[in-house]
Amino acid sequence: MITISNLKKQFGETIASDIASFTVNDGDILGLVGNNGAGKSTLFRIMLDLLKADDGTVTINGINPAESEEWKQQVGAYIDEGFLIDFLTPEEYFAFLGKISGKTQAEVDERLKDFERFAAGEVFGQKKLIRNLSAGNKQKVGIISALFNKPGIVILDEPFNFLDPSSQNMLKHLLTEYNRETGATILVSSHNLAHTVDISTRIALLEHGVIVRDIDNTEGAAAQELENYFETE
């Protein structure tokens, strides 16, 4: 469970986050949507202790990331390519992730088999450093890294960016199946409303750092409400 309480973050005169109270329940697939500057990335960066809040707290399963490192065992995240070690090949990068999480190379290889379809023969076996991959393939490496250790909470900022249509559809299947099989909580921010509605069980709509609507998305019920909102913006 992720709990937000009296969270505030401001950059000069710009309010990036102003959330009095919000809870992400275990097993939610939460889609975070809003126009540019709505505060989606800021919220994720505060959750991951990459940015300090001016006031208030975020707790992950009762742990405040600003005060303890224990939450890191429970969370997999990909925000941007700054999360990657780009002077390694994908194989070297995942061998490194496996080593620091106590996996043998055989276990790493076995885990990566789960992502072969998503990788589509373009990520592994290419003898390329991550820095020399296309933007879409870097994105795939980042998404795979977020899921690699089977975390209970997954946080992905704009994961559909740079992916071709086939890979976008595979990602939707990958995330929904991961949620179904593990019960993990997944948070996804995206400008792509259709993909967000397709995968989310719940959608939080942000405007100037404030969650203005918390929408149940059972059977895609949020689609019309979101369409109406963004048409009037």
Side-chain angles (χ1 to χ4, degrees), residues 82-120:
F83 275 49
L84 306 175
I85 305 175
D86 69 357
F87 57 82
L88 301 178
T89 66
E91 289 87 346
E92 291 169 338
Y93 179 55
F94 287 108
F96 170 74
L97 293 184
K99 186 173 183 179
I100 62 176
S101 59
K103 289 182 175 60
T104 66
Q105 187 58 50
E107 289 172 330
V108 170
D109 294 341
E110 188 63 27
R111 178 64 178 135
L112 292 179
K113 288 180 182 178
D114 294 339
F115 304 104
E116 285 180 350
R117 186 164 178 261
F118 180 55

Side-chain angles (χ1 to χ4, degrees), residues 94-210:
F94 287 108
F96 170 74
L97 293 184
K99 186 173 183 179
I100 62 176
S101 59
K103 289 182 175 60
T104 66
Q105 187 58 50
E107 289 172 330
V108 170
D109 294 341
E110 188 63 27
R111 178 64 178 135
L112 292 179
K113 288 180 182 178
D114 294 339
F115 304 104
E116 285 180 350
R117 186 164 178 261
F118 180 55
E122 298 176 335
V123 172
F124 302 113
Q126 303 303 300
K127 298 182 180 179
K128 286 185 179 181
L129 302 180
I130 291 172
R131 67 171 60 142
N132 294 327
L133 295 176
S134 69
N137 286 330
K138 287 178 187 175
Q139 189 83 338
K140 289 181 180 183
V141 172
I143 292 165
I144 294 168
S145 72
L147 299 171
F148 180 72
N149 284 316
K150 296 186 176 180
I153 297 173
V154 178
I155 297 174
L156 300 172
D157 194 15
E158 297 288 353
F160 298 103
N161 278 3
F162 312 119
L163 299 182
D164 61 38
S166 294
S167 297
Q168 290 177 6
N169 285 328
M170 280 189 277
L171 177 57
K172 288 193 292 185
H173 177 76
L174 182 66
L175 294 177
T176 54
E177 281 300 296
Y178 184 80
N179 169 264
R180 185 184 63 80
E181 291 173 2
T182 67
T185 305
I186 301 176
L187 287 74
V188 171
S189 78
S190 181
H191 284 111
N192 191 309
L193 295 181
H195 289 336
T196 304
V197 168
D198 284 347
I199 67 171
S200 300
T201 58
R202 182 180 172 199
I203 291 175
L205 177 57
L206 272 79
E207 183 178 311
H208 304 302
V210 179

Side-chain angles (χ1 to χ4, degrees), residues 11-54:
F11 299 102
E13 298 299 314
T14 302
I15 297 172
S17 192
D18 185 5
I19 302 171
S21 180
F22 190 75
T23 298
V24 184
N25 300 310
D26 292 341
D28 278 351
I29 303 180
L30 179 73
L32 208 60
V33 301
N35 289 319
N36 288 335
K40 303 184 297 297
S41 295
T42 296
L43 179 56
F44 280 173
R45 288 183 178 276
I46 293 172
M47 286 181 180
L48 297 170
D49 195 32
L50 299 172
L51 192 62
K52 299 295 184 185
D54 297 329

